[in-house]
Amino acid sequence: MAEKTSRSSGDVAGAPVILSNEPGSFAWGVLAKRHPALIQQVRDTFPYGRRQHEALDALLDEITNGVIEPLAPGEHDRERWADWGQEHFGRSWYDAPFLWAESYFYRRLLGAVGYFGTGPWQGVDPFAPFKRAELRGEAVEEELRALDALASAPADERAAALLHASLWGNRADLGFRVSAGEPAAGDAAASVLVADDSALLWQLLPVGGSSTVAVVADNAGRELIPDLILIDHLLQQRHAEQVVLHLKPYPYYVSDAMTADVVDCLRRLTEAPGKASAIGGRLWKAMAAGSLGVRTHPFFCAPLPYEDMPEDLRGEFESATLTLLKGDLNYRRLVGDQLWDATASFADLTSYFPGAVAALRTLKSDVMVGLEQEALDGLERSGAAWRTSGTHALVQVRR
């Protein structure tokens, strides 16, 4: 079951850290089903050699039958992971904190396929084919065509539509689909916002206010496209003078966005007809001019909450008018991957964060805070798996 943590924020007591050792739980399903399925998908997608196949076999055996092993001697980040994982090595994967176990699995998967090595597979993203296939899919085509009709809408209506597109774009999370299939409710109208601080978000970004916005990306492909379109709107409508897009430095959680994925998305936009092409062209120029910047940081691939962020990253967020965190993983790291009471204060749990922060998240894990009791009661009475199915979402803001 869950282990206790000493963390507290404000007058909100610490809550149990989420583990994966309860059969049938969401976290258990990720380790028991999703991770083995992903190993097979990666194996089938590339013509790896014997060395990679043997390493993948060993990883599969370890996560299903063995205990957590440290990185091999000579790995460039062995000491860092030794520090992060000293309490977990030699234990079952299911008994380690869920956030840590997921992160370490992806690090080990990259190691198995030679991503960090010196051979021919160095730097080859094992998830790139999944991301590119999605980016070229019909769903993206339809969404880009919809921009033409949206262009004639009033600015405030466009802003709301683009914010929601960025929010719900997270449904395309490839890792979520590996084991779960498409979300049960394919219609956005059937989905529910469990919390909506959109009005406060826009209040923090007045037109002409010389704001700087930090956007911490989550997934590539079908989610990153609407993120970039929202960024274009912020710049075009002068809600922001500068946007800094924070990305993963290497492949992570199947579909997480790196610089290469931003480039792929910009090319996808510029090659599209109509308004999408104009947006792509503006963003391309914005990067050259510096009004749209990109950053990477090793911390974005660390198994740690944002409360433990290093000082240089803290300084980046402190200088922003608003930091916008996309997706479920960023939310887990923002409030702590713990079994909080769902009515615990979002503001209290994020009080450590340097500056105003907003979370745009489609719910795909058990962590939940900031709900009104009445709303929580209604969700629980529904009998739906609202925390993990991807059919509910939230916009939460702390100024």
Side-chain angles (χ1 to χ4, degrees):
M1 298 299 290
E3 64 183 16
K4 291 289 183 180
T5 176
S6 61
R7 172 184 167 164
S8 63
S9 183
D11 51 19
V12 179
V17 171
I18 295 175
L19 307 182
S20 307
N21 57 9
E22 183 177 341
S25 68
F26 177 79
W28 176 88
V30 170
L31 267 64
K33 298 179 180 180
R34 185 184 302 180
H35 288 176
L38 181 58
I39 289 175
Q40 189 60 49
Q41 277 197 325
V42 168
R43 183 198 302 274
D44 293 343
T45 303
F46 285 91
Y48 290 124
R50 177 179 295 179
R51 182 176 179 180
Q52 284 76 32
H53 281 279
E54 290 176 350
L56 289 170
D57 287 340
L59 178 60
L60 179 60
D61 183 63
E62 180 183 320
I63 66 174
T64 54
N65 304 310
V67 297
I68 303 169
E69 301 288 350
L71 295 179
E75 293 277 7
H76 73 283
D77 51 355
R78 176 183 166 88
E79 291 186 8
R80 188 185 311 154
W81 277 101
D83 179 51
W84 291 336
Q86 56 184 329
E87 300 176 12
H88 313 310
F89 296 131
R91 301 168 62 186
S92 166
W93 281 78
Y94 294 88
D95 292 332
F98 180 40
L99 177 65
W100 188 94
E102 274 198 292
S103 296
Y104 191 54
F105 167 77
Y106 282 101
R107 171 58 186 87
R108 292 288 301 282
L109 181 61
L110 291 178
V113 299
Y115 183 88
F116 296 112
T118 57
W121 294 102
Q122 181 183 26
V124 177
D125 181 356
F127 314 130
F130 311 147
K131 293 185 281 191
R132 288 173 183 159
E134 182 190 72
L135 196 58
R136 298 293 168 181
E138 180 59 30
V140 171
E141 192 74 35
E142 292 178 8
E143 288 157 5
L144 295 184
R145 283 197 295 266
L147 291 171
D148 294 339
L150 188 61
S152 59
D156 58 341
E157 291 182 19
R158 288 205 311 276
L162 295 178
L163 183 67
H164 283 178
S166 178
L167 170 64
W168 289 108
N170 202 349
R171 286 184 168 189
D173 179 346
L174 295 166
F176 182 72
R177 293 217 314 264
V178 165
S179 61
E182 290 286 355
D187 183 350
S191 304
V192 176
L193 283 179
V194 300
D196 186 6
D197 294 336
S198 301
L200 178 55
L201 185 152
W202 293 115
Q203 286 175 22
L204 292 172
L205 300 175
V207 172
S210 301
S211 300
T212 297
V213 178
V215 177
V216 183
D218 189 35
N219 295 308
R222 194 177 167 192
E223 179 184 349
L224 188 56
I225 286 278
D227 290 346
L228 289 168
I229 294 169
L230 176 62
I231 287 170
D232 174 71
H233 180 83
L234 294 177
L235 293 171
Q236 275 292 103
Q237 299 299 317
R238 299 188 301 117
H239 289 287
E241 193 171 77
Q242 183 184 41
V243 176
V244 179
L245 182 59
H246 294 266
L247 305 160
K248 303 295 191 300
Y250 54 80
Y252 198 57
Y253 279 65
V254 189
S255 53
D256 282 25
M258 303 187 298
T259 305
D261 301 310
V262 173
V263 175
D264 286 344
C265 287
L266 289 179
R267 286 180 175 149
R268 181 70 179 88
L269 285 167
T270 57
E271 292 167 3
K275 298 298 181 182
S277 180
I279 291 170
R282 286 197 298 265
L283 289 170
W284 199 283
K285 292 178 180 177
M287 290 188 72
S291 53
L292 172 57
V294 294
R295 304 273 196 281
T296 62
H297 196 288
F299 182 78
F300 292 128
C301 295
L304 304 172
Y306 277 106
E307 193 167 21
D308 295 338
M309 75 179 84
E311 286 304 311
D312 59 339
L313 190 59
R314 178 176 291 273
E316 288 259 2
F317 294 148
E318 191 171 26
S319 65
T321 308
L322 175 68
T323 297
L324 200 162
L325 297 173
K326 282 298 310 296
D328 199 78
L329 176 59
N330 277 322
Y331 189 87
R332 292 164 60 192
R333 297 182 71 188
L334 177 66
V335 303
D337 201 36
Q338 299 167 235
L339 294 173
W340 301 108
D341 185 316
T343 62
S345 168
F346 177 77
D348 285 351
L349 286 169
T350 59
S351 62
Y352 69 88
F353 199 89
V357 62
L360 265 63
R361 174 206 183 196
T362 305
L363 278 57
K364 296 178 183 173
S365 67
D366 289 312
V367 180
M368 185 70 246
V369 301
L371 294 191
E372 298 292 336
Q373 186 65 55
E374 184 178 356
L376 176 61
D377 291 343
L379 289 164
E380 295 293 351
R381 283 195 302 269
S382 73
W386 60 273
R387 292 175 182 256
T388 59
S389 62
T391 57
H392 293 69
L394 61 80
V395 180
Q396 289 179 323
V397 180
R398 194 221 75 218
R399 63 166 72 240

